[in-house]
Amino acid sequence: MATISVPERISVFLLDIEGTTTPITFVKDVLFPYIREHLEDYLHAHWEEDECKQDVHLLKKQVEEDLKQNRVCPVHTVDQTAHTDEEKAIREAVDNVLWQMAADRKTTALKQLQGHMWRSAYTAGKIRGEVYQDVVPAIRRWRRHGLKVYIYSSGSTEAQKLLFGYSVEGDVLDLFDGHFDTNVGAKVESKSYERIAERVGCLPEDIMFLTDVTREAKAAEDAGLNVAVVVRPGNMELTEEERSHYRIITSFSQLELTRST
C-alpha cells in the first residue's frame, strides 16, 4: 500500500465523514431510512415541545425561501400556528422533509431535525455510529504528533457528535478539536474553507482536508488547503483525470507524517 507524505507544515487535519471516516452505506442504509420510517411518529410524540416547534419553524422558513427563489417544492407550506389541525400540519412537515431528502438537499432546517431524531435513536441504543477501522488509530497517531483534528460535514454538528459519541468504537469525541457544518458555508464553496482556517486560527496551507467528493476537494484546494481524496467501497468512481490530479488514499494509515514530535 503506497504511502503519501503529509507536508511538514501541516498542523491540522480536516475530515469529511460520509465516505471518508464512515461507510457511505451507513448514511444511506441506516441513518436516512431511520428518518423516513420514524419521522411521523417522532413529530406526533414531540409536536408540543419547544425544540420540535423550532425545527418545524425552520422548515417553514426554508419553504418561504424556496418559494421566493422559485424552486420546485411541495405545493403546501408547513404550518404550525397554535390552533391548526395538528394532523394536517404534521403531514405537511413530513411531506416537506421527505421531498428534501429525495432531492438530497443539505439545508440547515432539514439537518437540524434529522440531528434531533438521530440523537433520540443514538441515546436509546437503536443506532451506533460506524467508523472505518483505520480511522481511530490514525487520528490517535496524528494527535500524538501534536496535530489538531476537525470534522467538516454537511450533517449538523450535533449529528456529527452523536456519530462519534455513540460509535462502534465507543465514545471517541475526545479525538476531535472541533466540528463544522453548513453553517460555515457549503462544502463546494472555497470561502467555507477560508472561514474554517480563520476559526481554527491557522493558514489554509496548514490544513490537510480528506474527502471522497472531488467538488469539495477542488473548493478546498482553491482556498489553499492541501487535499487527499479518499476512495472507499461504495464511493463514487473517480475519473482518470481526477485520479491523476489528486493524491488518492484508501486508508488513513497511508498518510505518513514527516514532522517531528
Side-chain angles (χ1 to χ4, degrees):
M1 191 189 295
T3 59
I4 290 177
S5 292
V6 176
E8 191 168 352
R9 70 172 296 158
I10 295 298
S11 59
V12 172
F13 274 100
L14 183 64
L15 311 178
D16 168 52
I17 292 179
E18 185 182 351
T20 299
T21 66
T22 296
I24 208 162
T25 51
F26 176 65
V27 177
K28 294 191 170 168
D29 297 344
V30 178
L31 291 185
F32 285 170
Y34 182 86
I35 299 293
R36 287 191 286 268
E37 290 163 23
H38 297 89
L39 177 58
E40 192 160 351
D41 289 343
Y42 177 87
L43 290 174
H44 275 293
H46 300 278
W47 192 252
E48 293 301 327
E49 296 171 15
D50 288 344
E51 182 176 83
C52 187
K53 288 179 179 178
Q54 186 194 21
D55 291 344
V56 176
H57 176 70
L58 274 185
L59 287 174
K60 182 177 179 181
K61 288 288 186 191
Q62 184 62 53
V63 169
E64 291 170 357
E65 179 63 24
D66 288 341
L67 292 172
K68 206 181 294 180
Q69 300 291 333
N70 293 317
R71 294 194 188 102
V72 178
C73 60
V75 289
H76 46 61
T77 57
V78 179
D79 189 2
Q80 203 198 15
T81 50
H83 301 292
T84 56
D85 175 1
E86 185 178 300
E87 283 289 335
K88 179 172 175 287
I90 288 175
R91 189 66 252 164
E92 290 174 352
V94 168
D95 287 349
N96 182 269
V97 168
L98 295 181
W99 169 76
Q100 288 203 57
M101 290 179 68
D104 196 27
R105 300 191 77 193
K106 312 286 188 188
T107 64
T108 299
L110 174 65
K111 294 299 178 184
Q112 180 169 300
L113 174 59
Q114 289 174 328
H116 292 155
M117 285 187 65
W118 289 326
R119 179 185 63 201
S120 174
Y122 279 115
T123 54
K126 295 176 182 174
I127 294 176
R128 283 284 175 266
E130 290 183 30
V131 181
Y132 282 112
Q133 289 185 348
D134 56 275
V135 170
V136 169
I139 295 176
R140 292 197 195 283
R141 180 165 51 89
W142 301 340
R143 294 186 68 86
R144 282 198 301 271
H145 281 77
L147 283 84
K148 293 187 174 182
V149 183
Y150 292 82
I151 293 290
Y152 181 29
S153 171
S154 56
S156 69
T157 55
E158 180 170 23
Q160 297 170 27
K161 291 173 183 177
L162 288 167
L163 191 156
F164 293 110
Y166 295 89
S167 84
V168 291
E169 301 276 352
D171 182 353
V172 293
L173 275 176
D174 62 332
L175 297 180
F176 304 104
D177 294 279
H179 299 258
F180 296 97
D181 59 18
T182 52
N183 282 310
V184 81
K187 295 181 74 185
V188 294
E189 295 174 1
S190 59
K191 283 283 181 194
S192 306
Y193 299 90
E194 292 171 14
R195 289 187 199 106
I196 288 173
E198 277 177 31
R199 295 191 189 181
V200 169
C202 68
L203 295 171
E205 295 81 7
D206 299 336
I207 301 175
M208 174 160 264
F209 178 49
L210 307 184
T211 180
D212 64 306
V213 179
T214 53
R215 285 181 68 209
E216 297 173 2
K218 182 182 186 311
E221 199 174 51
D222 288 347
L225 278 69
N226 292 268
V227 172
V229 173
V230 185
V231 174
R232 303 277 200 184
N235 287 6
M236 191 174 290
E237 286 288 327
L238 302 181
T239 65
E240 282 305 313
E241 186 182 354
E242 288 167 341
R243 282 186 171 276
S244 62
H245 178 78
Y246 293 107
R247 287 171 286 190
I248 307 291
I249 61 169
T250 58
S251 167
F252 283 15
S253 63
Q254 289 173 258
L255 294 168
E256 193 173 75
L257 300 179
T258 54
R259 63 184 283 165
S260 55
T261 52

